[in-house]
Amino acid sequence: MAKTCKLLLLGLVPLAAGYALNYALLLFLFLPINGFLLAILEAVLLFLWGYLAYRVSSPERNPLWQALLLCAVGLVMLGLGLYQVLAREQYWLNFFGAAPQMYFLPFLALTATLLNPLFQLFMPILEIWPYYIVIWIVMFLVSCIGCVLRRKRG
């Protein structure tokens, strides 16, 4: 039970990183930070997410289940974000409106840089919700890789 709670609580790390990144970007607004540097930072954060999954997972437990627990907060954020964007067509003006945006912010520039040409082929007007889905899938896959590596190395 304690391990499950630990995995669920560590799922809040991208939310804290998103708020920190938002604060840093607004604080250093005058600095020329291009998308490439931001994408490198986000690739490092994605690697650290996999390393976190590796460190906190247990070799005795199912790696898929542990990765799902680690990404459960992200799944809730994805649901909140999709509901607000697709059903309500606007974000709420409170924590529940800002939290999904901040949760996926640490990985948004990297995803947009890599997938923008592909999405432009299928969608004439770019929207943000497909990026949220891709980010969650990639975070889940990276978590799975970290948990499986932990199980193999014991």
Side-chain angles (χ1 to χ4, degrees):
M1 182 69 178
K3 194 71 152 176
T4 302
C5 291
K6 183 178 178 182
L7 288 170
L8 287 172
L9 284 175
L10 285 172
L12 292 170
V13 168
L15 184 62
Y19 273 105
L21 182 62
N22 182 49
Y23 178 76
L25 289 174
L26 291 175
L27 185 65
F28 300 112
L29 194 59
F30 59 90
L31 290 178
I33 300 174
N34 63 10
F36 181 71
L37 291 176
L38 206 52
I40 290 174
L41 172 68
E42 292 172 3
V44 169
L45 288 175
L46 197 59
F47 173 78
L48 290 175
W49 180 252
Y51 183 70
L52 177 74
Y54 175 80
R55 294 294 298 170
V56 300
S57 66
S58 174
E60 300 87 33
R61 299 178 80 189
N62 185 357
L64 189 64
W65 177 248
Q66 292 181 89
L68 186 62
L69 284 175
L70 193 57
C71 295
V73 173
L75 195 57
V76 171
M77 294 297 170
L78 181 63
L80 269 173
L82 289 178
Y83 172 72
Q84 293 175 62
V85 170
L86 297 176
R88 297 194 33 95
E89 296 180 354
Q90 64 183 3
Y91 286 104
W92 293 326
L93 299 175
N94 56 19
F95 175 76
F96 296 108
Q101 298 174 65
M102 293 300 131
Y103 187 88
F104 295 110
L105 181 65
F107 311 107
L108 192 59
L110 178 64
T111 307
T113 302
L114 296 175
L115 296 179
N116 202 14
L118 178 67
F119 283 166
Q120 284 181 347
L121 292 175
F122 300 109
M123 297 180 348
I125 298 173
L126 288 179
E127 296 191 29
I128 201 157
W129 61 268
Y131 295 120
Y132 287 172
I133 294 170
V134 170
I135 290 169
W136 188 85
I137 290 170
V138 169
M139 287 177 67
F140 179 70
L141 291 175
V142 168
S143 299
C144 284
I145 290 170
C147 292
V148 167
L149 285 176
R150 176 65 175 220
R151 188 172 195 174
K152 286 186 177 183
R153 294 188 182 178

Coordinates of all heavy atoms in Angstrom, one line a residue, residues 48-101:
L48 N 14.9 11.8 -17.1 CA 14.8 11.8 -15.6 C 13.5 11.1 -15.2 O 13.4 10.5 -14.1 CB 14.9 13.2 -15.1 CG 16.3 13.8 -15.2 CD1 16.2 15.3 -14.7 CD2 17.3 13.0 -14.4
W49 N 12.4 11.3 -16.0 CA 11.1 10.6 -15.7 C 11.3 9.1 -15.7 O 10.8 8.3 -14.9 CB 10.0 11.1 -16.6 CG 8.7 10.5 -16.4 CD1 8.1 9.5 -17.2 CD2 7.8 10.7 -15.3 NE1 6.9 9.2 -16.6 CE2 6.7 9.9 -15.5 CE3 7.8 11.5 -14.2 CZ2 5.6 9.9 -14.6 CZ3 6.8 11.5 -13.3 CH2 5.7 10.7 -13.5
G50 N 12.0 8.6 -16.8 CA 12.3 7.2 -16.9 C 13.2 6.7 -15.8 O 13.0 5.6 -15.2
Y51 N 14.2 7.5 -15.4 CA 15.1 7.2 -14.3 C 14.3 7.1 -12.9 O 14.6 6.2 -12.1 CB 16.2 8.2 -14.2 CG 17.2 7.8 -13.1 CD1 18.1 6.7 -13.3 CD2 17.3 8.6 -12.0 CE1 19.0 6.4 -12.3 CE2 18.2 8.3 -11.0 CZ 19.1 7.2 -11.1 OH 20.0 6.9 -10.1
L52 N 13.4 8.0 -12.8 CA 12.5 8.0 -11.6 C 11.7 6.7 -11.5 O 11.6 6.1 -10.5 CB 11.6 9.2 -11.6 CG 10.6 9.3 -10.4 CD1 11.3 9.7 -9.1 CD2 9.5 10.3 -10.7
A53 N 11.2 6.3 -12.7 CA 10.4 5.1 -12.7 C 11.3 3.9 -12.4 O 10.9 2.9 -11.7 CB 9.8 4.9 -14.1
Y54 N 12.6 3.9 -12.9 CA 13.5 2.9 -12.6 C 13.8 2.8 -11.1 O 13.9 1.7 -10.5 CB 14.8 3.1 -13.4 CG 15.9 2.2 -13.1 CD1 15.9 0.9 -13.7 CD2 17.0 2.5 -12.2 CE1 17.0 0.0 -13.4 CE2 18.0 1.6 -12.0 CZ 18.0 0.4 -12.5 OH 19.0 -0.5 -12.2
R55 N 14.0 4.0 -10.5 CA 14.4 4.0 -9.1 C 13.3 3.6 -8.1 O 13.6 3.0 -7.1 CB 15.0 5.4 -8.7 CG 16.2 5.8 -9.4 CD 17.4 5.0 -9.0 NE 17.6 5.1 -7.6 CZ 18.5 4.4 -6.9 NH1 19.1 3.4 -7.5 NH2 18.6 4.6 -5.6
V56 N 12.1 4.0 -8.4 CA 11.0 3.7 -7.4 C 10.3 2.4 -7.7 O 9.5 2.0 -6.8 CB 10.0 4.9 -7.4 CG1 10.7 6.2 -7.0 CG2 9.2 5.0 -8.7
S57 N 10.5 1.8 -8.8 CA 9.7 0.6 -9.1 C 10.3 -0.6 -8.3 O 11.5 -0.6 -7.9 CB 9.7 0.2 -10.6 OG 11.0 0.0 -11.0
S58 N 9.5 -1.6 -8.1 CA 9.9 -2.8 -7.4 C 10.1 -3.9 -8.3 O 9.2 -4.2 -9.1 CB 8.9 -3.1 -6.3 OG 9.2 -4.3 -5.7
P59 N 11.2 -4.7 -8.3 CA 11.4 -5.8 -9.2 C 10.4 -6.9 -9.1 O 10.1 -7.7 -10.0 CB 12.8 -6.3 -8.9 CG 13.4 -5.3 -8.0 CD 12.3 -4.5 -7.4
E60 N 9.8 -7.0 -7.9 CA 8.9 -8.1 -7.6 C 7.5 -7.9 -8.2 O 6.7 -8.8 -8.4 CB 8.7 -8.4 -6.1 CG 10.0 -8.7 -5.4 CD 10.7 -7.5 -4.9 OE1 10.1 -6.5 -4.6 OE2 12.0 -7.5 -5.0
R61 N 7.1 -6.6 -8.4 CA 5.8 -6.3 -8.9 C 5.7 -6.1 -10.4 O 6.7 -6.0 -11.1 CB 5.3 -5.0 -8.2 CG 5.3 -5.2 -6.7 CD 4.9 -3.9 -6.0 NE 3.5 -3.8 -6.0 CZ 2.8 -2.7 -5.6 NH1 3.5 -1.7 -5.2 NH2 1.5 -2.7 -5.6
N62 N 4.5 -6.1 -10.9 CA 4.2 -6.0 -12.4 C 4.7 -4.6 -12.9 O 4.2 -3.6 -12.4 CB 2.7 -6.2 -12.6 CG 2.4 -6.2 -14.1 OD1 3.3 -6.0 -14.9 ND2 1.2 -6.5 -14.4
P63 N 5.6 -4.6 -13.8 CA 6.1 -3.3 -14.3 C 5.0 -2.4 -15.0 O 5.0 -1.2 -14.9 CB 7.2 -3.6 -15.2 CG 7.3 -5.1 -15.4 CD 6.3 -5.7 -14.4
L64 N 4.1 -3.1 -15.7 CA 3.1 -2.3 -16.4 C 2.2 -1.7 -15.4 O 1.8 -0.5 -15.6 CB 2.3 -3.3 -17.3 CG 1.3 -2.7 -18.2 CD1 2.0 -1.8 -19.2 CD2 0.5 -3.8 -19.0
W65 N 1.8 -2.4 -14.3 CA 1.0 -1.8 -13.3 C 1.7 -0.6 -12.6 O 1.0 0.4 -12.3 CB 0.6 -2.9 -12.3 CG -0.3 -2.4 -11.2 CD1 0.1 -2.4 -9.8 CD2 -1.6 -1.9 -11.2 NE1 -0.9 -1.9 -9.1 CE2 -2.0 -1.6 -9.9 CE3 -2.5 -1.7 -12.2 CZ2 -3.2 -1.1 -9.6 CZ3 -3.8 -1.2 -11.9 CH2 -4.1 -0.9 -10.6
Q66 N 2.9 -0.8 -12.3 CA 3.7 0.3 -11.6 C 3.8 1.5 -12.5 O 3.7 2.7 -12.0 CB 5.1 -0.2 -11.2 CG 5.1 -1.2 -10.2 CD 6.4 -1.7 -9.8 OE1 7.1 -1.1 -8.9 NE2 6.9 -2.7 -10.4
A67 N 4.0 1.3 -13.8 CA 4.1 2.4 -14.7 C 2.7 3.1 -14.8 O 2.6 4.4 -14.9 CB 4.5 2.0 -16.1
L68 N 1.6 2.4 -14.8 CA 0.3 2.9 -14.8 C 0.0 3.7 -13.6 O -0.6 4.8 -13.7 CB -0.7 1.8 -15.0 CG -2.2 2.3 -15.2 CD1 -2.3 3.2 -16.5 CD2 -3.1 1.1 -15.3
L69 N 0.4 3.2 -12.4 CA 0.3 4.0 -11.2 C 1.1 5.3 -11.2 O 0.6 6.3 -10.8 CB 0.7 3.2 -10.0 CG -0.3 2.1 -9.5 CD1 0.4 1.3 -8.4 CD2 -1.6 2.7 -9.1
L70 N 2.3 5.2 -11.8 CA 3.1 6.4 -11.8 C 2.5 7.5 -12.8 O 2.6 8.7 -12.6 CB 4.5 6.0 -12.3 CG 5.6 7.1 -12.2 CD1 5.7 7.6 -10.8 CD2 6.9 6.5 -12.7
C71 N 1.8 7.0 -13.8 CA 1.2 7.9 -14.8 C -0.3 8.2 -14.5 O -1.0 8.8 -15.4 CB 1.4 7.4 -16.2 SG 3.1 7.3 -16.7
A72 N -0.8 7.7 -13.4 CA -2.3 7.8 -13.1 C -2.7 9.3 -13.0 O -3.7 9.7 -13.4 CB -2.6 7.0 -11.9
V73 N -1.8 10.1 -12.3 CA -2.1 11.5 -12.2 C -2.2 12.1 -13.6 O -3.0 13.0 -13.9 CB -1.1 12.2 -11.3 CG1 -1.3 13.7 -11.3 CG2 -1.1 11.6 -9.9
G74 N -1.3 11.7 -14.5 CA -1.3 12.2 -15.8 C -2.5 11.9 -16.6 O -3.0 12.6 -17.4
L75 N -3.0 10.7 -16.3 CA -4.3 10.2 -16.9 C -5.5 11.1 -16.5 O -6.3 11.5 -17.3 CB -4.5 8.8 -16.7 CG -5.6 8.0 -17.5 CD1 -5.2 8.1 -19.0 CD2 -5.7 6.6 -17.1
V76 N -5.5 11.4 -15.2 CA -6.5 12.3 -14.7 C -6.4 13.7 -15.3 O -7.4 14.3 -15.7 CB -6.4 12.4 -13.1 CG1 -7.3 13.5 -12.6 CG2 -6.8 11.1 -12.5
M77 N -5.1 14.2 -15.4 CA -4.9 15.5 -16.1 C -5.3 15.5 -17.5 O -5.8 16.5 -18.0 CB -3.4 15.9 -15.9 CG -3.0 16.2 -14.5 SD -3.9 17.6 -13.8 CE -3.4 17.4 -12.1
L78 N -5.0 14.4 -18.2 CA -5.4 14.2 -19.6 C -6.9 14.3 -19.7 O -7.4 15.0 -20.6 CB -4.9 12.9 -20.2 CG -5.2 12.6 -21.6 CD1 -4.5 13.7 -22.5 CD2 -4.7 11.2 -22.0
G79 N -7.6 13.6 -18.8 CA -9.1 13.6 -18.9 C -9.6 15.0 -18.6 O -10.5 15.5 -19.3
L80 N -9.1 15.7 -17.6 CA -9.5 17.1 -17.3 C -9.2 18.0 -18.5 O -10.1 18.8 -18.9 CB -8.7 17.6 -16.1 CG -9.4 17.4 -14.8 CD1 -8.4 17.8 -13.7 CD2 -10.6 18.2 -14.6
G81 N -8.0 17.9 -19.1 CA -7.7 18.7 -20.2 C -8.6 18.5 -21.4 O -9.0 19.4 -22.1
L82 N -8.8 17.2 -21.7 CA -9.6 16.9 -22.9 C -11.1 17.3 -22.7 O -11.7 17.8 -23.6 CB -9.6 15.4 -23.2 CG -8.2 14.9 -23.8 CD1 -8.3 13.4 -24.0 CD2 -7.9 15.6 -25.0
Y83 N -11.6 17.2 -21.5 CA -12.9 17.6 -21.2 C -13.1 19.1 -21.4 O -14.0 19.6 -22.0 CB -13.3 17.2 -19.8 CG -14.7 17.8 -19.4 CD1 -15.8 17.4 -19.9 CD2 -14.7 18.9 -18.5 CE1 -17.1 17.9 -19.5 CE2 -15.9 19.4 -18.1 CZ -17.1 19.0 -18.7 OH -18.3 19.5 -18.3
Q84 N -12.1 19.8 -20.9 CA -12.2 21.3 -21.0 C -12.0 21.8 -22.5 O -12.7 22.7 -22.9 CB -11.1 21.9 -20.1 CG -11.4 21.7 -18.7 CD -10.2 22.2 -17.8 OE1 -10.0 23.4 -17.8 NE2 -9.6 21.4 -17.1
V85 N -11.1 21.1 -23.2 CA -10.8 21.6 -24.6 C -11.9 21.1 -25.5 O -12.4 21.9 -26.4 CB -9.4 21.1 -25.0 CG1 -9.2 21.3 -26.5 CG2 -8.4 21.8 -24.2
L86 N -12.3 19.9 -25.4 CA -13.2 19.3 -26.4 C -14.7 19.6 -26.1 O -15.5 19.9 -26.9 CB -13.0 17.8 -26.6 CG -11.6 17.5 -27.2 CD1 -11.4 16.0 -27.2 CD2 -11.4 18.1 -28.5
A87 N -15.1 19.4 -24.8 CA -16.5 19.5 -24.4 C -16.9 21.0 -24.1 O -17.9 21.5 -24.5 CB -16.8 18.6 -23.3
R88 N -16.1 21.6 -23.3 CA -16.4 23.0 -22.8 C -15.8 24.0 -23.8 O -16.3 25.2 -23.7 CB -15.9 23.2 -21.4 CG -16.6 22.2 -20.4 CD -16.4 22.6 -19.0 NE -16.3 24.0 -18.7 CZ -17.3 24.8 -18.4 NH1 -18.5 24.3 -18.3 NH2 -17.2 26.1 -18.1
E89 N -14.8 23.7 -24.5 CA -14.1 24.6 -25.5 C -13.5 25.8 -24.8 O -13.3 26.8 -25.4 CB -15.1 25.0 -26.6 CG -15.5 23.9 -27.4 CD -16.5 24.3 -28.5 OE1 -16.9 25.5 -28.6 OE2 -16.8 23.5 -29.4
Q90 N -13.2 25.7 -23.5 CA -12.4 26.7 -22.8 C -11.9 26.1 -21.5 O -12.4 25.1 -21.0 CB -13.3 27.9 -22.5 CG -14.5 27.6 -21.5 CD -15.3 28.8 -21.3 OE1 -15.1 29.8 -21.8 NE2 -16.3 28.6 -20.4
Y91 N -10.8 26.6 -21.0 CA -10.2 26.1 -19.8 C -10.9 26.8 -18.6 O -11.3 28.0 -18.7 CB -8.7 26.4 -19.7 CG -7.9 25.5 -20.6 CD1 -7.4 25.9 -21.8 CD2 -7.7 24.2 -20.2 CE1 -6.7 25.1 -22.6 CE2 -6.9 23.4 -21.0 CZ -6.4 23.8 -22.2 OH -5.7 23.0 -23.0
W92 N -11.1 26.1 -17.5 CA -11.6 26.7 -16.3 C -10.6 27.7 -15.8 O -9.4 27.6 -15.9 CB -11.9 25.7 -15.2 CG -13.0 24.7 -15.6 CD1 -14.1 25.0 -16.3 CD2 -13.1 23.4 -15.3 NE1 -14.9 23.9 -16.4 CE2 -14.3 22.9 -15.8 CE3 -12.3 22.5 -14.6 CZ2 -14.7 21.6 -15.7 CZ3 -12.7 21.2 -14.4 CH2 -13.9 20.7 -15.0
L93 N -11.1 28.7 -15.1 CA -10.2 29.8 -14.5 C -9.8 29.5 -13.1 O -9.9 30.4 -12.2 CB -10.9 31.1 -14.7 CG -11.2 31.6 -16.1 CD1 -12.0 32.8 -16.1 CD2 -10.0 31.7 -16.9
N94 N -9.4 28.3 -12.8 CA -9.0 27.9 -11.4 C -7.9 26.9 -11.5 O -7.3 26.7 -12.6 CB -10.2 27.3 -10.6 CG -10.9 26.2 -11.3 OD1 -10.3 25.5 -12.2 ND2 -12.1 25.9 -10.9
F95 N -7.6 26.2 -10.4 CA -6.5 25.3 -10.4 C -6.8 24.1 -11.4 O -5.9 23.6 -12.1 CB -6.3 24.7 -9.0 CG -5.3 23.6 -8.9 CD1 -4.0 23.9 -9.0 CD2 -5.7 22.3 -8.8 CE1 -3.0 22.9 -8.9 CE2 -4.8 21.3 -8.7 CZ -3.5 21.5 -8.8
F96 N -8.0 23.7 -11.5 CA -8.3 22.5 -12.3 C -8.3 22.9 -13.8 O -8.2 22.0 -14.7 CB -9.7 22.0 -12.0 CG -9.8 21.4 -10.6 CD1 -10.4 22.1 -9.6 CD2 -9.1 20.2 -10.3 CE1 -10.5 21.6 -8.3 CE2 -9.1 19.7 -9.0 CZ -9.8 20.4 -8.0
G97 N -8.3 24.2 -14.1 CA -8.1 24.6 -15.5 C -6.6 24.8 -15.8 O -6.1 24.5 -17.0
A98 N -5.8 25.2 -14.9 CA -4.4 25.4 -15.1 C -3.6 24.1 -14.9 O -2.5 24.0 -15.6 CB -3.9 26.5 -14.1
A99 N -4.0 23.3 -14.0 CA -3.2 22.1 -13.7 C -2.9 21.2 -14.9 O -1.8 20.7 -15.1 CB -3.8 21.3 -12.6
P100 N -3.9 20.9 -15.8 CA -3.6 20.0 -16.9 C -2.6 20.7 -17.9 O -1.7 20.0 -18.5 CB -4.9 19.8 -17.7 CG -5.9 20.1 -16.6 CD -5.4 21.1 -15.7
Q101 N -2.7 22.0 -18.0 CA -1.7 22.7 -18.9 C -0.3 22.7 -18.3 O 0.6 22.5 -19.0 CB -2.2 24.2 -19.1 CG -3.5 24.3 -19.7 CD -4.0 25.7 -19.8 OE1 -3.4 26.5 -20.4 NE2 -5.1 26.0 -19.0

